[in-house]
Amino acid sequence: MGAGHPWYDASGNLKTTPNTFRYVGDQVTWDALVAGTAGGDADGDGVADPWTLIQTRAEFQSLMSGPTPSASLGQHRFTKPFSKAEWRRFADPYVVPRIETVPTLTEMALAALNILDDDPDGLYLMIEGGAVDWGSHSNQSGRMIEEAIEFERTVEAVIDWVQMNSNWARHCSSSPATMRPATCGGLVRIQPGCLS
């Protein structure tokens, strides 16, 4: 699950020509995903197990609970790894509105957990709040704060999921590790109430 949709721009708008297909392999793979023909016999039963392409926020939200496809690929309709239009614009936190058609990191994490929890052998899931990196490199304190808060919400949701669906003591694989790479964009407090 992630960003890099070939047909959508950084504001979540459909394009007339694609960006790149590299995030899904190539155009042949993308076309097969759209057609519902990508994927082979994943479980060895002699029957093809095509991948289900998940693109809309509603589709991601529907996967947060209940039955899931046997194989899925989530590519939300946005080219960047965050959900803010005009991401280069400097602004205080929450001034630039979210693009509401893009799923939150929490929604994608819960959908991934619901998909992966069907495996009786357990699961491994890496969740990256990569947009904090973009904000840091651009020295956008508002973006950094928003992304740090969304990441914290995601960690809380994952902990809640583990407590409801697993056993911390029994499964060492149910131990989340969190870190914040690239939160180094020069966030310095100059005076009370002023961030730079």
Side-chain angles (χ1 to χ4, degrees):
M1 295 181 180
H5 197 294
W7 288 101
Y8 285 80
D9 67 16
S11 295
N13 299 312
L14 181 64
K15 296 180 64 169
T16 56
T17 57
N19 301 306
T20 178
F21 294 95
R22 70 181 177 183
Y23 299 111
V24 293
D26 54 31
Q27 185 169 357
V28 172
T29 303
W30 178 258
D31 291 344
L33 284 164
V34 171
T37 59
D41 180 12
D43 55 12
D45 66 357
V47 178
D49 300 300
W51 287 71
T52 300
L53 179 61
I54 310 302
Q55 299 183 73
T56 68
R57 185 176 186 191
E59 289 171 337
F60 280 94
Q61 290 170 332
S62 73
L63 291 176
M64 291 168 50
S65 62
T68 61
S70 60
S72 59
L73 183 133
Q75 194 79 40
H76 59 74
R77 293 178 171 170
F78 195 67
T79 192
K80 300 288 183 188
F82 37 78
S83 59
K84 296 286 183 169
E86 303 176 48
W87 65 273
R88 294 179 192 265
R89 194 166 95 191
F90 292 87
D92 288 333
Y94 302 104
V95 170
V96 178
R98 283 190 86 259
I99 296 175
E100 290 299 323
T101 57
V102 177
T104 66
L105 184 63
T106 302
E107 291 167 344
M108 289 193 295
L110 292 174
L113 285 167
N114 188 44
I115 291 167
L116 295 172
D117 75 349
D118 292 340
D119 190 327
D121 296 324
L123 62 97
Y124 175 84
L125 175 63
M126 181 185 126
I127 303 166
E128 179 183 6
V132 72
D133 188 30
W134 290 81
S136 294
H137 289 300
S138 300
N139 200 25
Q140 296 180 12
S141 58
R143 290 306 326 265
M144 291 165 56
I145 292 167
E146 290 173 9
E147 295 303 328
I149 290 170
E150 177 58 26
F151 187 75
E152 290 299 322
R153 288 178 182 145
T154 302
V155 170
E156 289 173 13
V158 169
I159 289 170
D160 289 346
W161 183 91
V162 170
Q163 289 175 337
M164 288 178 52
N165 298 284
S166 186
N167 180 333
W168 291 104
R170 190 177 66 153
H171 300 293
C172 64
S173 61
S174 295
S175 300
T178 64
M179 63 182 124
R180 289 236 176 83
T183 53
C184 56
L187 186 63
V188 178
R189 188 172 196 167
I190 296 175
Q191 60 186 7
C194 180
L195 295 176
S196 168

